[in-house]
Amino acid sequence: MNATDLVDLVQSVVDGVMFGTTYALIGIGFTLIFGVMHKINLSYAAASVGAAYLSLILVKVAPTPLVYLAAALLGGVLGALIYYVCFRFLPLDKPLATLMSTVGMLLLLEEIIVHATDGMPQNYPAMFTGAVWDVGPFMIRGDLMFVFVLGCIAMVGLRLLLTHTRLGLATRAVAQQPVAARLCGMSVDRTNASTFVIAGLLGGTAGAMTGAAIGMLSPLLTLPLTVKGLVVTVIGGLGSVPGAIVAGLLVGGLENFFQFVRGVGERDIYVMALLFAFLVFRPGGLFAAPGGRD
Amino acid sequence: MPKLALTSAIALAAALACGSAAAQERTVKIYGFGAKSGVVRIFGLNSEAAMKAAAEQVNKAGGVTLGDGTKARIVIEYYDDRCNAEEGINVMRRIAAQPDAFVAIGPTCSNVAEPVFGILQKKAGDASDSGLQFPLYTDVAAKGGLASISQWSFRNVPNESAMYKSLFEWIKATRPDIKTVWGGVEKDFAHSNATFNAMKGHAEKTGFEVKGQSEWLLADTSFATQVREMRRGEADLVMVSAHPFTTCGVLKEMQRQGVKPKMLVGLTSSSSLETLQGCAAQAEGILIPTSFAPVNPDAKRAADLVGAAGASMDLHNAAAWENVFTLKEQIERAKIMARPDTIQEDRRKMREALASMRETTGLLGKVVRTDDREADKPFLFVRAEKGAWTVAHTPK
């Protein structure tokens, strides 16, 4: 490997880490819902992409930041909808019930997108696409930096919400001791619904950032993002928000590393091998959530 | 007496009216199938619209003459295979089980065409082969050489190898400043991968130096590493063999990284509205060979009629349009009866008629039929200019 290869390798990994912010946001959504309800919402990434699609309604009449804001808000609305359709009235003691309902929702959302757009890729607005900073031999791209910074802001916002608000307190209480939380007068249903809305806000942001980073949206995005989100959730530790953040950036970086070193044919094999290694040797992930519920 | 005459006249008129209505009601069904859901749904929608628009034109001109001399209207029935091999096989079996099915057009995806052709009888008349005996006249699935799988399979798809051979020869002759090439390929899509090999082979044979290639997958979300490889290659020409979603993803990444080759060459399937809708600005100047463009009155009219049906005409559904007219001619030539009791015989006659064709009429001119049941279609090169496809060159 010569110096140019090394520069390209580092550049690829840096780009991957920055793009990994979107994986982190998706992973946080999975882990947040799992942390509170001990359920996996497999339709989460599809709803995130769906929210980004819905925000395209504004693309001709509103500036790009408002389109992103709309994606986040619509993600919240979809999150609430998914909670009421796939969780609220289903027997929560039967793990397969919600798993299958969210698989159904994933396929439904994907097919709605396909039918609404005839499967044609849609242009998605990006910001700072022309901004490129040369740092020595490296190149920092404005658009990816924007995705990275916005993702970080969303994660910090979530952290503040969980630790400094009554809603965050209720969310953590329901996650740790749902029976005790109910005895203290907290509405578990309302807290669960709020968690879905918060996760949806993050998901909508992730969908918009993914669209912005690629420059387009396609129904093809739903399944890979679902898989990446699950990988990130497992590697980070089910229920751990910091774990999802670190794992998202790690998976983004490793993906590009293996792409560079071994090529596209083998890239995903190594990422999946990493997942299996965690499942076997560290099933709790990087940061297993402490404690549990009753 | 006048009363009796009047009654008789009314009865006769009624009988004639009924007879006329019955003649009007005679229909011939042409089945079609392709992707009408899933991410390549647009292919199936466009094919169905083109087939229906073509059938309407045939019907307006009096319909099709059957073997017994009666006139019939053509009716199109189109099924969805989701661009999935298993679904495609199910659809093929379902169509073959219909008592009025003697020919079908489809499918849209090469990964469906390959297994579907595989369940057809390999050699016509081979009693030891229990494969389906049903003629299929494919419009879209373009992976090279598929019709050789079965003698019941026929295709009216462009010969992409010949198209890219001609394209690279033209580039060589007209752009002496272009000497090196870099390739980009969507590795997990049968059509993209197969066509890339043809592109690369012809580029090398024509005398260009292929400096390397970048690879990605159909559902990839980041192309930064691949485009960086491309940037290092510093090739004069970049050829991208991928469908619109990743073609646009790569072109946008090229713009971000400042990769500006002297020339861009794309995959035939990308000479569509999808590419312009996804990345018109980044695709500006991309050169693509295609077997359809609205360059003559017939092609313009066909494009207008398909456009009025809410679809857009491209090289794929132009073939679907052509196939309906070709089948109309062959139904008349083979004296198809289109009755439930003749359906097996109709299928055999249809296959023989399709196999004996030496030339058909296409929207861009005569289409030569080859011995391996493929088509040698006229083609031209189009270039993306200001959000539209314009003709760059028409090879003689």
Side-chain angles (χ1 to χ4, degrees):
Chain A
M1 184 180 280
N2 58 32
T4 316
D5 286 336
L6 196 63
V7 168
D8 276 356
L9 175 62
V10 173
Q11 179 76 62
S12 279
V13 173
V14 170
D15 286 351
V17 168
M18 287 202 279
F19 191 79
T21 318
T22 57
Y23 298 162
L25 286 173
I26 297 284
I28 291 171
F30 275 109
T31 214
L32 206 56
I33 291 163
F34 185 85
V36 173
M37 292 188 71
H38 274 209
K39 303 283 175 220
I40 293 282
N41 172 16
L42 287 175
S43 63
Y44 179 66
S48 306
V49 175
Y53 264 103
L54 283 172
S55 71
L56 284 173
I57 296 166
L58 288 180
V59 84
K60 284 189 178 150
V61 295
T64 303
L66 272 186
V67 175
Y68 296 163
L69 182 65
L73 295 175
L74 289 162
V77 173
L78 281 176
L81 191 71
I82 288 168
Y83 173 69
Y84 283 104
V85 173
C86 301
F87 290 86
R88 176 66 180 83
F89 304 106
L90 267 67
L92 296 179
D93 56 331
K94 303 224 169 10
L96 268 183
T98 53
L99 198 68
M100 295 317 292
S101 69
T102 55
V103 168
M105 183 58 82
L106 159 67
L107 298 175
L108 178 68
L109 287 170
E110 190 179 88
E111 209 54 42
I112 288 173
I113 294 170
V114 165
H115 276 75
T117 63
D118 291 340
M120 290 167 85
Q122 306 290 315
N123 236 323
Y124 200 79
M127 291 179 73
F128 309 110
T129 45
V132 176
W133 297 284
D134 289 322
V135 183
F138 303 108
M139 183 180 80
I140 303 291
R141 276 170 42 189
D143 58 334
L144 274 187
M145 183 54 89
F146 173 71
V147 169
F148 183 72
V149 170
L150 195 66
C152 291
I153 291 171
M155 289 185 264
V156 170
L158 174 70
R159 185 80 190 160
L160 292 174
L161 187 136
L162 287 177
T163 53
H164 288 79
T165 66
R166 287 176 65 83
L167 175 62
L169 187 66
T171 305
R172 285 183 292 135
V174 170
Q176 289 166 15
Q177 299 283 347
V179 176
R182 188 175 281 126
L183 288 172
C184 290
M186 294 174 197
S187 166
V188 173
D189 283 341
R190 200 182 306 152
T191 307
N192 285 344
S194 304
T195 307
F196 271 80
V197 171
I198 295 165
L201 290 168
L202 288 174
T205 308
M209 291 305 95
T210 306
I214 307 169
M216 20 200 350
L217 289 174
S218 161
L220 281 169
L221 293 172
T222 57
L223 211 53
L225 283 182
T226 302
V227 173
K228 298 281 164 54
L230 287 172
V231 170
V232 163
T233 309
V234 172
I235 291 177
L238 281 167
S240 165
V241 172
I245 296 169
V246 173
L249 304 181
L250 183 72
V251 168
L254 284 177
E255 218 175 38
N256 274 19
F257 174 81
F258 290 123
Q259 163 87 42
F260 186 91
V261 177
R262 301 299 304 167
V264 75
E266 294 181 24
R267 179 193 66 196
D268 294 342
I269 296 174
Y270 295 104
V271 176
M272 288 301 159
L274 184 72
L275 173 69
F276 282 115
F278 265 91
L279 285 171
V280 173
F281 300 110
R282 196 176 166 82
L286 288 171
F287 303 92
R293 56 164 57 194
D294 287 340
Chain B
M1 192 66 182
K3 197 176 174 181
L4 180 65
L6 184 65
T7 310
S8 303
I10 291 170
L12 183 64
L16 283 172
C18 287
S20 167
Q24 284 290 318
E25 286 303 311
R26 188 85 197 266
T27 58
V28 165
K29 207 174 266 183
I30 294 178
Y31 285 84
F33 66 110
K36 275 178 71 180
S37 53
V39 292
V40 286
R41 166 177 154 84
I42 191 70
F43 285 86
L45 292 180
N46 279 341
S47 277
E48 183 181 20
M51 284 172 67
K52 286 186 170 167
E56 201 179 317
Q57 293 309 302
V58 171
N59 294 337
K60 273 185 185 167
V64 57
T65 307
L66 298 177
D68 57 8
T70 57
K71 284 277 189 185
R73 285 172 53 242
I74 292 179
V75 173
I76 303 293
E77 188 156 329
Y78 200 91
Y79 290 113
D80 182 11
D81 67 19
R82 298 181 61 85
C83 192
N84 173 288
E86 283 179 13
E87 292 277 349
I89 289 170
N90 288 341
V91 166
M92 184 69 251
R93 291 196 188 284
R94 200 186 323 159
I95 291 173
Q98 303 302 316
D100 57 356
F102 59 88
V103 69
I105 295 173
T108 50
C109 297
S110 297
N111 62 307
V112 176
E114 207 159 356
V116 165
F117 291 176
I119 64 165
L120 301 177
Q121 189 182 53
K122 190 169 175 52
K123 193 176 171 193
D126 180 359
S128 65
D129 184 346
S130 60
L132 285 180
Q133 296 173 38
F134 192 92
L136 201 51
Y137 194 21
T138 297
D139 53 341
V140 181
K143 185 181 168 187
L146 289 186
S148 61
I149 294 173
S150 163
Q151 288 186 352
W152 291 85
S153 55
F154 301 85
R155 296 201 305 172
N156 179 30
V157 300
N159 180 342
E160 293 191 322
S161 180
M163 290 163 111
Y164 283 101
K165 178 176 184 287
S166 173
L167 177 66
F168 281 110
E169 284 170 355
W170 179 66
I171 294 170
K172 187 80 180 168
T174 56
R175 292 291 301 271
D177 56 319
I178 292 175
K179 293 183 167 41
T180 55
V181 172
W182 188 273
V185 56
E186 193 175 60
K187 279 301 277 185
D188 57 341
F189 207 95
H191 176 213
S192 312
N193 212 19
T195 307
F196 179 76
N197 292 331
M199 289 162 100
K200 191 178 166 188
H202 288 305
E204 283 171 340
K205 277 182 200 158
T206 315
F208 293 105
E209 180 198 349
V210 179
K211 296 183 84 174
Q213 66 189 60
S214 303
E215 298 171 352
W216 57 86
L217 305 181
L218 182 64
D220 269 0
T221 49
S222 171
F223 307 98
T225 306
Q226 292 91 332
V227 172
R228 193 157 297 110
E229 292 168 349
M230 211 177 264
R231 196 166 74 145
R232 277 180 67 176
E234 292 181 335
D236 301 322
L237 184 152
V238 169
M239 56 183 187
V240 178
S241 183
H243 289 80
F245 173 60
T246 64
T247 294
C248 284
V250 167
L251 293 178
K252 289 189 172 188
E253 186 63 33
M254 285 170 71
Q255 186 189 42
R256 291 184 199 113
Q257 294 196 26
V259 180
K260 290 177 187 164
K262 291 175 187 166
M263 187 176 275
L264 277 170
V265 167
L267 179 66
T268 50
S269 296
S270 289
S271 62
S272 64
L273 189 64
E274 279 177 278
T275 307
L276 299 179
Q277 191 164 313
C279 57
Q282 292 77 16
E284 183 73 13
I286 194 169
L287 200 59
I288 301 181
T290 177
S291 54
F292 177 78
V295 290
N296 61 45
D298 284 348
K300 275 182 192 148
R301 188 164 166 273
D304 289 344
L305 288 167
V306 171
S312 68
M313 195 166 234
D314 56 27
L315 79 161
H316 298 309
N317 64 343
W321 168 284
E322 291 168 357
N323 284 10
V324 171
F325 283 95
T326 303
L327 288 179
K328 186 249 180 199
E329 282 175 19
Q330 298 311 314
I331 288 168
E332 291 177 345
R333 191 163 75 93
K335 299 197 181 305
I336 297 294
M337 304 301 285
R339 291 198 315 256
D341 59 313
T342 62
I343 212 69
Q344 292 301 335
E345 181 63 8
D346 286 341
R347 289 177 186 181
R348 191 189 56 74
K349 286 196 288 190
M350 198 71 230
R351 193 209 77 80
E352 284 171 4
L354 288 170
S356 65
M357 293 189 306
R358 288 290 161 261
E359 197 176 82
T360 61
T361 307
L363 286 167
L364 292 191
K366 293 291 174 197
V367 176
V368 175
R369 300 295 308 171
T370 65
D371 292 338
D372 54 355
R373 298 174 298 284
E374 301 278 5
D376 197 352
K377 304 185 78 168
F379 56 87
L380 38 77
F381 309 145
V382 291
R383 180 182 283 132
E385 277 179 2
K386 294 176 184 163
W389 293 108
T390 59
V391 177
H393 176 64
T394 306
K396 298 294 174 201

